[in-house]
């Protein structure tokens, strides 16, 4: 039985707990769309939304970082000083996250979308990324990057750019940025758009490593097409923010280029995963069954979100869809269908290194969770698209129509969205629970 | 140096230059564009502290439980009086924050500034 690196174990356990809490907040927030007074006194929507967003983001960051440390340990056998800093990172992030959650519940906000906590709490999070960067540089120092597989590049880029864009997102503290609304909004979404690209780099890097380990094929992570994809993704990370600011005055060519790059990246990832699956033998597939299944589902969601991105990138259509639930469908399809699915694949891979029977012993529960998540997510996704379509159409056609009337018209669709959201949450819980149990009962690192 | 590190450095340099352009000329407001006064700036910070963005959008960015507030102040059926009424008493899912008069004034100033800015840029 293999033991985990302590930091990996701590980060994954904390990440999964934040995921479960985030799912609960998401379900409660969804119910507030279709009820009048549900929890409006104790946990109104303006508290539930940041609780949901922050918790699931904490899951993404912690489980992505934990996965990277696990794979780096696998490749380099990390030194005790690196491990200690990684453990310190997990404590810093977890403690800061708990303070942030407590502040949200108490109604204390900084109020920037997605980074709604008071700005002082950015300091420990910056320290988390400094320690991550420091450790990474120390680990990869002997590597010749010209010949290194793509996952080293992706992990390094993810760490560097999360750090840069996180700092950038706090430029609003300076009057030069804060006092010009166009500059303020533009820089906010420039930084947040790139930040998502940075965590995608961490996640996709781990997906490449995972593919290599499962298939035994070392070529994929080294071939020119993969590096072409990496540099395209890197360009996307730096310039894709344009689609967040479609109606904010800025040069149109930036937005058009951003969409083209973003869509190409998704297409290439899909092709690479498809190509990889063909090389995996049936025996290997069965052995790592749940990771394979999850990567296959992520593959499907990549294509569905690509399709949606193509449609909403057309300016004439974007005019109707911008500021509607269609944007939420794209965000949810990406964070649940792609990011969470790949991360669960990674966590199952790590867990099954210790416990080969994890999937077999919990097959019924995990499979039920897998299917429930994907079917519910599809209904959830379609509901949001339909709600957004109707809202966009009615807003344009009847510009003076009362917002409440429009929301009343889409109420049956929002009910489908809320109920399917419960299905997504239960499905993810069924997949996350055996993982959580496995990581909690696993031995500490030697 | 190999080709890959070189491509990385070139892209990173392009990003740095582009960021500086975005921060300066790319978002430079014309001298006759509306500027935020102290009250509007206070309103903006209050908008953040109350986490209004969780439910409302500015320039189409934000939550979807409530309406986009970018053009709220110039809506023929809404405007200042309507906004003050909502801010003072709440409505449906909009909580009553029990704002003081100066806080309401600051939020109204901020929303008016947003509205003026949005219309200025879209007309220019």
């Amino acid at each position: 039985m293999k033991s985990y690196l302590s930091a990996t174990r701590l980060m994954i356990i904390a990440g999964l707990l934040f995921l479960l809490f985030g799912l609960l907040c998401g379900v409660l927030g969804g119910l507030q769309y279709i009820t009048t007074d549900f929890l409006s006194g104790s946990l109104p929507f303006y508290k539930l939304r940041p609780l949901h967003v922050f918790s699931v983001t904490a899951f993404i960051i912690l489980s992505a970082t934990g996965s990277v440390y696990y794979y780096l340990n696998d490749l380099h056998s990390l030194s005790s000083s690196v491990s200690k800093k990684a453990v310190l990172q997990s404590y810093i992030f977890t403690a800061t996250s708990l303070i942030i959650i407590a502040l949200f519940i108490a109604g204390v906000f900084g109020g920037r979308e997605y980074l709604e906590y008071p700005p002082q709490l950015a300091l420990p999070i910056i320290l988390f990324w400094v320690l991550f960067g420091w450790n990474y540089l120390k680990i990869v120092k002997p590597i010749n990057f010209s010949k290194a597989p793509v996952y080293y590049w992706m992990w390094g880029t993810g760490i560097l750019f999360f750090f840069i864009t996180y700092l950038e997102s706090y430029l609003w503290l300076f009057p030069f940025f804060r006092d010009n609304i166009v500059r303020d909004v533009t820089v906010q979404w420039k930084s947040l758009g790139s930040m998502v690209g940075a965590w995608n780099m961490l996640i996709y890097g781990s997906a490449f490593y995972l593919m290599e380990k499962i298939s035994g094929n070392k070529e994929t992570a080294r071939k020119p097409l993969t590096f072409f994809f990496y540099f395209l993704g890197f360009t996307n990370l730096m310039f894709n923010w344009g689609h967040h600011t479609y109606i904010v005055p800025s040069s149109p060519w930036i937005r058009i280029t951003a969409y083209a790059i973003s869509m190409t990246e998704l297409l290439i990832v899909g092709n690479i995963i498809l190509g990889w699956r063909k090389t995996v033998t049936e025996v290997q597939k069965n052995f790592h069954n749940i990771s394979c299944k999850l990567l296959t589902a992520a593959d499907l969601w990549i294509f569905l979100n690509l399709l949606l991105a193509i449609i909403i990138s057309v300016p004439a259509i974007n005019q109707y869809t911008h500021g509607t639930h269609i944007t939420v469908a794209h965000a949810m399809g990406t964070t649940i269908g792609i990011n969470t699915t790949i991360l669960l694949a990674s966590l199952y891979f790590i867990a099954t290194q210790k416990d080969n029977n994890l999937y077999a012993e919990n097959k019924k529960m995990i499979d039920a969770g897998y299917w429930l998540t994907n079917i519910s997510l599809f209904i959830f996704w379609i509901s949001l698209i339909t709600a957004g379509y109707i809202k966009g159409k009615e807003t344009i056609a009847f510009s003076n129509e009362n917002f409440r009337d429009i929301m009343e018209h889409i109420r049956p669709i929002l009910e489908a969205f809320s109920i399917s959201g419960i299905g997504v949450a239960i499905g993810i819980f069924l997949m996350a629970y055996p993982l959580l149990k496995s990581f909690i009962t696993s031995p500490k690192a030697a | 140096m190999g080709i890959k590190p070189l491509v990385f450095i070139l892209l990173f340099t392009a990003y740095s230059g582009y960021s500086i352009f975005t921060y300066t000329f790319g978002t430079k407001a014309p001298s006759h564009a509306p500027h935020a006064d102290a009250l509007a700036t206070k309103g903006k910070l209050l908008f953040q502290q109350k986490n209004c963005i969780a439910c409302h959008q500015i320039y189409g960015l934000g939550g979807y439980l409530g309406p986009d507030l970018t053009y709220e102040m110039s809506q023929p059926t809404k405007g200042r009086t309507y906004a003050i009424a909502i801010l003072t008493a709440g409505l449906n899912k909009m909580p009553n924050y029990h704002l003081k008069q100066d806080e309401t004034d600051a939020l109204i100033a901020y929303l008016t500034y947003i509205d003026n800015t949005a219309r200025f840029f879209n007309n220019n």
Side-chain angles (χ1 to χ4, degrees), chain A residues 7 24 36 139 146 223 228 268 281 305 323 343 354 375:
Chain A
L24 178 67
T36 43
I139 296 163
S146 293
K223 62 185 182 184
F228 171 73
I268 293 174
T281 66
N305 278 289
L343 285 169
K354 174 196 68 109
I375 293 168

Side-chain angles (χ1 to χ4, degrees), chain A residues 157-159 161-162 165 193-203 237:
Chain A
T157 306
I159 295 166
F161 271 83
F162 200 103
T165 55
S194 298
M195 200 184 289
V196 172
W199 83 43
N200 279 337
M201 277 284 178
L202 282 177
I203 294 169
L237 179 159

